[in-house]
Amino acid sequence: MNRKFLLYIFIILSLFVFQSSFVFALNQDEETLLDASIFGDDDIVEKILEKNIDVNIQDDVGNTALILAAMEGHTKVVALLLQSDADKSIVNKHGNNALFYARQRNHRNVIKLLE
């Protein structure tokens, strides 16, 4: 391939990536909620939820904090999110919800909370 063609491809891909970052721009609290949910940090999740942020915020793949916590089997975080009215029916871009991932990874306590 010639350099000019590769440059055009690079520019087009750069524009796509640059524009998509605006679509899914999260503020610091939203990022922290998603990260804390992945890592099972229930203290941080609780503090962030006290700020009344949108508990159903989604990352660039469409995962919510509930989906991320369910994937990793963080029962206490899942319980906190559900108490804060996290929507169990939200699906990510793969068409899967929190219960799907809890079942897939056999996180029994999380499954009980979500059913």
Side-chain angles (χ1 to χ4, degrees):
M1 289 186 197
N2 66 37
R3 288 184 176 191
K4 193 172 187 180
F5 178 75
L6 290 174
L7 180 61
Y8 286 131
I9 296 298
F10 176 76
I11 291 170
I12 290 169
L13 290 174
S14 297
L15 289 172
F16 175 75
V17 170
F18 183 69
Q19 287 177 339
S20 67
S21 68
F22 287 112
V23 174
F24 299 106
L26 300 173
N27 69 36
Q28 186 62 47
D29 287 337
E30 293 165 342
E31 291 261 358
T32 301
L33 176 64
L34 294 173
D35 290 344
S37 297
I38 292 170
F39 294 110
D41 195 333
D42 51 279
D43 291 333
I44 291 181
V45 169
E46 199 165 19
K47 288 177 184 171
I48 296 293
L49 291 173
E50 288 173 1
K51 295 183 176 188
N52 295 319
I53 70 164
D54 180 5
V55 70
N56 295 310
I57 191 70
Q58 294 175 279
D59 66 12
D60 59 337
V61 183
N63 291 323
T64 62
L66 184 63
I67 290 173
L68 296 170
M71 278 182 186
E72 301 301 324
H74 299 305
T75 308
K76 189 168 181 183
V77 172
V78 169
L80 286 168
L81 294 166
L82 290 172
Q83 289 168 4
S84 295
D85 298 321
D87 186 346
K88 300 186 285 187
S89 68
I90 293 175
V91 296
N92 62 17
K93 289 184 178 180
H94 304 290
N96 302 318
N97 63 14
L99 184 57
F100 171 86
Y101 290 108
R103 285 181 177 153
Q104 182 185 51
R105 297 179 181 188
N106 200 29
H107 297 305
R108 294 180 184 177
N109 292 332
V110 173
I111 294 168
K112 288 178 189 176
L113 288 173
L114 294 169
E115 287 183 327

